[in-house]
Amino acid sequence: MTTVRRTASSVTSRQLEVLAFLTRREHWLVGEVASALGVSSAAATKAIARLERKGLVTRSVDIMDRRCVNVRITRAGNEAIRHTARPV
């Protein structure tokens, strides 16, 4: 539990916004995340890469179209969202 709290406290407001968006369905394309949040694909990729390093999301290449990258929120990412929604 301490790890989740430490991770959640190191997540920026933009990263929380990305995580909250990712909870809406099982997986998203990076371009869909960028479009929905009104940012460039580069900005979305950067935020997603940081979240991946923290273990809050995973990225994988689409098997049908290798140009597409799927993003999924992890269990730790869901926990971080739940933790920030509750007062400590």
Side-chain angles (χ1 to χ4, degrees):
M1 197 63 137
T2 306
T3 305
V4 171
R5 285 190 180 141
R6 194 175 318 127
T7 301
S9 66
S10 67
V11 177
T12 67
S13 59
R14 172 57 83 183
Q15 291 169 347
L16 282 173
E17 185 179 4
V18 173
L19 287 174
F21 178 76
L22 291 174
T23 62
R24 295 182 186 172
R25 68 178 198 220
E26 186 179 341
H27 66 86
W28 296 88
L29 297 175
V30 172
E32 292 174 317
V33 175
S35 178
L37 299 177
V39 299
S40 68
S41 288
T45 298
K46 194 173 185 179
I48 290 166
R50 288 182 176 145
L51 289 168
E52 184 178 38
R53 282 193 299 272
K54 294 176 183 182
L56 303 176
V57 301
T58 60
R59 291 186 289 179
S60 61
V61 175
D62 189 294
I63 48 179
M64 299 302 287
D65 186 348
R66 297 192 52 81
R67 296 170 295 173
C68 297
V69 176
N70 290 306
V71 182
R72 288 181 167 84
I73 191 166
T74 64
R75 185 174 300 170
N78 279 314
E79 288 296 319
I81 288 289
R82 276 190 229 117
H83 175 72
T84 57
R86 283 188 265 146
V88 177

